[in-house]
Amino acid sequence: MTTPPLPYLDPSHLTAALRDTGYALLRPDDVALLAGCSLQELATLVPSWDRLELDDYLKDGGRYRRRRHSCFIDDGASLVQTPHRAHWQPVEYNALHGGMHRLFAPMETATVANPAWERLLRALGAACSAVTPVQPWFVEAHQFRIDTADGIGRPTPEGAHRDGVNFVAVIMIGRHGIKGGETRVFDADGPAGQRFTMTEPWTLLLLDDAAVIHESTPIQPLGEHGYRDTLVLTWRAGSFQGENV
């Protein structure tokens, strides 16, 4: 069966697509161009995914997810990391893990200090501001590794969802020895949607969180040590979720 082409977007149409359809999918080369650095420079961030910590909060009892989490404030002129804080979501947006203060291991200092990191986040923050002129942005960064050591891994154990923020980016970092992991994006208030599988490192899916819901299907192993690595970033106006909870 022929795999349909991914619905990649010309980056010049990024703002319009987010306003009109609620999502945009960019090729790796265009992500690098947007960030103002090369794919080789972005690739210097990748080794840190081999040093993520086990997620001990999974309510399904799984041990298939490793992650790190840090928070930043982007005021349009600079990106500043905040003191380490817990990740929190209301149950309305995460029925499985909502209402929990989940304190994950922070991102490594060297990752945050990498110039490619700031360039990527500031460029994507500017793309969000082109759609919704809000500053500062309260940004959360999640490094994920979903593995198949127990036979199956669930990138989104909470199912199809919104995150309770303004914008969400899902960036493919790498896949190894797996099948599955299809990305699904659907209108929040209608039947329209898209299904595709991101395979190339630095493919970017940018979402208007109010307009669409999203999920990724489970992964299964094709051999030993199968895994799927992603970077998930969120931008929220006003405050971090749970800041006053």
Side-chain angles (χ1 to χ4, degrees):
M1 183 173 64
T2 302
T3 302
L6 271 65
Y8 285 126
L9 180 80
D10 186 296
S12 65
H13 300 150
L14 176 59
T15 301
L18 287 171
R19 286 175 174 160
D20 295 343
T21 67
Y23 72 94
L25 186 71
L26 295 186
R27 295 176 178 85
D29 286 342
D30 290 329
V31 174
L33 185 65
L34 185 69
C37 57
S38 67
L39 285 173
Q40 290 76 16
E41 289 172 308
L42 289 173
T44 62
L45 296 166
V46 173
S48 62
W49 266 261
D50 289 331
R51 298 185 294 273
L52 304 187
E53 299 287 340
L54 189 67
D55 182 343
D56 290 320
Y57 294 94
L58 288 170
K59 283 190 173 180
D60 64 4
R63 295 178 64 81
Y64 52 80
R65 184 159 75 182
R66 293 180 178 273
R67 68 193 296 176
R68 288 183 183 271
H69 166 255
S70 288
C71 296
F72 304 83
I73 295 177
D74 183 354
D75 66 1
S78 63
L79 181 75
V80 177
Q81 187 174 8
T82 70
H84 193 50
R85 62 189 308 278
H87 176 54
W88 186 90
Q89 293 175 292
V91 293
E92 291 83 359
Y93 291 106
N94 189 328
L96 186 61
H97 298 114
M100 300 172 63
H101 284 88
R102 292 178 287 166
L103 187 64
F104 300 109
M107 294 180 61
E108 293 179 340
T109 301
T111 304
V112 175
N114 189 319
W117 176 256
E118 181 167 350
R119 289 181 185 178
L120 177 65
L121 264 65
R122 291 195 61 195
L124 294 177
C128 296
S129 293
V131 180
T132 304
V134 169
Q135 285 170 347
W137 287 116
F138 293 81
V139 185
E140 296 196 48
H142 307 261
Q143 294 177 282
F144 286 108
R145 170 166 288 181
I146 309 299
D147 68 43
T148 58
D150 293 331
I152 192 169
R154 295 177 175 83
T156 52
E158 65 272 34
H161 65 283
R162 291 164 53 208
D163 286 309
V165 297
N166 292 76
F167 296 95
V168 179
V170 181
I171 301 174
M172 173 56 58
I173 300 300
R175 294 168 55 103
H176 175 77
I178 61 168
K179 61 180 179 179
E182 179 183 72
T183 297
R184 300 177 177 179
V185 182
F186 301 105
D187 284 353
D189 300 312
Q194 282 274 8
R195 299 164 59 161
F196 48 86
T197 301
M198 299 190 292
T199 58
E200 290 188 80
W202 301 103
T203 300
L204 163 70
L205 175 64
L206 189 58
L207 306 164
D208 178 338
D209 191 55
V212 296
I213 58 176
H214 63 281
E215 66 175 336
S216 296
T217 63
I219 61 172
Q220 295 174 286
L222 292 175
E224 294 185 9
H225 310 301
Y227 59 84
R228 178 180 186 264
D229 290 350
T230 56
L231 172 63
V232 175
L233 304 165
T234 65
W235 290 263
R236 189 172 189 267
S239 67
F240 294 109
Q241 287 194 98
E243 197 157 51
N244 300 311
V245 174

